[in-house]
Amino acid sequence: FGTYYVYATISDNLDDGEASYATGQVTVGPLTVQAALDGTGVTGQTTNIPVLSINSIDHFDIISYQFTLTYNPALLTAIDISTEGTLSENWTVFADTTGATTGQIEVAGYSAYPLTEGGVLVNIVAEVSEEAENYETCPLNFSDFMFNAGDPAPEVEDGLFTVINRYGISGNVVYYLNDEPMEGVLLSMSGDEV
């Protein structure tokens, strides 16, 4: 998926060949809207769940969107949206979280200037339940999604949210050599956040 400039060299292996450039960008793949496929959060904390727009080039003249995203309210509660650093940063965007207890948020945005690229359209700000279990999941489903007044119609892909808790590690470590404790041992730990 994406938008690319195409450059090609045509050659018969007898000479240097002929270079050719596309006059514009070439879009690979359909216009797609996607809820986070790998959204994660920590029990009792807020997290951003991105809604992505893929291949939203200026050809489509996208100046508005609206959608309803549903989720499991026992695991998540949508409390707001964030446009900072997103494609909607300079747009007017509204969110209705009155359906948060039933597991849905409605979002609508518009601008006088069309989208010219793909990326994070908007972030859903959600609280992860204090009672959520580690690795518990819930689907993130669009019950509707519309650009402009229905044209263009994107492909819509639902997502998945997973609770990934962090744990503190503490305690004492003593190293022994021949049944004698060793002094000055440095212990370091590293790892990746998953």
Side-chain angles (χ1 to χ4, degrees), residues 44 55 77 84 99 105 113 117 126 149 159-160 172:
N55 289 337
T77 303
E84 184 178 343
I105 182 171
Y113 303 100
E117 61 185 342
L160 183 69
N172 297 313

Side-chain angles (χ1 to χ4, degrees), residues 3 11 15 38 44 55-57 69-71 95 98 118 136 141 143-144 146 186 188 193:
T3 306
S11 173
D15 55 28
D38 58 355
N55 289 337
S56 48
I57 60 173
L69 186 72
T70 62
Y71 53 88
T98 56
E136 189 172 357
N141 296 321
S143 62
D144 59 49
M146 185 177 2
L186 177 64
S188 63
E193 182 179 345

Side-chain angles (χ1 to χ4, degrees), residues 10 16 19 29-30 34 53 57 61 63 65 67 69 106 112 115 132 136 138 141 148 152 170 178 183 187 192-193:
I10 302 168
D16 291 337
Q34 181 182 80
S53 179
I57 60 173
D61 199 29
I63 57 170
Y65 61 84
F67 65 87
L69 186 72
E106 296 177 25
L115 294 178
E136 189 172 357
C138 79
N141 296 321
N148 299 338
S170 63
N178 299 327
E183 293 183 23
L187 176 66
D192 295 327
E193 182 179 345

Side-chain angles (χ1 to χ4, degrees), residues 38-56:
D38 58 355
T40 62
V42 177
T43 300
Q45 295 187 10
T46 60
T47 189
N48 283 343
I49 300 170
V51 173
L52 304 168
S53 179
I54 302 167
N55 289 337
S56 48

Side-chain angles (χ1 to χ4, degrees), residues 2-174:
T3 306
Y4 303 92
Y5 288 100
V6 176
Y7 167 79
T9 302
I10 302 168
S11 173
D12 59 7
N13 293 326
L14 299 176
D15 55 28
D16 291 337
E18 184 73 28
S20 179
Y21 300 88
T23 57
Q25 293 179 321
V26 176
T27 301
V28 177
L31 174 62
T32 305
V33 173
Q34 181 182 80
L37 296 176
D38 58 355
T40 62
V42 177
T43 300
Q45 295 187 10
T46 60
T47 189
N48 283 343
I49 300 170
V51 173
L52 304 168
S53 179
I54 302 167
N55 289 337
S56 48
I57 60 173
D58 54 356
H59 164 79
F60 293 115
D61 199 29
I62 297 169
I63 57 170
S64 67
Y65 61 84
Q66 65 184 47
F67 65 87
T68 302
L69 186 72
T70 62
Y71 53 88
N72 179 351
L75 187 65
L76 293 172
T77 303
I79 58 172
D80 204 356
I81 49 116
S82 172
T83 60
E84 184 178 343
T86 71
L87 299 174
S88 301
E89 187 164 26
N90 296 314
W91 285 40
T92 302
V93 183
F94 302 96
D96 180 1
T97 59
T98 56
T101 56
T102 59
Q104 71 178 24
I105 182 171
E106 296 177 25
V107 180
Y110 67 91
S111 174
Y113 303 100
L115 294 178
T116 58
E117 61 185 342
V120 176
L121 187 62
V122 64
N123 284 308
I124 306 298
V125 181
E127 291 179 344
V128 182
S129 169
E130 292 278 351
E131 287 78 38
E133 297 289 328
N134 202 24
Y135 298 112
E136 189 172 357
T137 63
C138 79
L140 304 169
N141 296 321
F142 289 107
S143 62
D144 59 49
F145 190 101
M146 185 177 2
F147 280 130
N148 299 338
D151 184 26
E155 289 189 9
V156 178
E157 296 179 4
D158 295 331
L160 183 69
F161 181 85
T162 304
V163 177
I164 307 273
N165 287 324
R166 297 183 183 127
Y167 299 97
I169 299 174
S170 63
N172 297 313
V173 176
V174 180

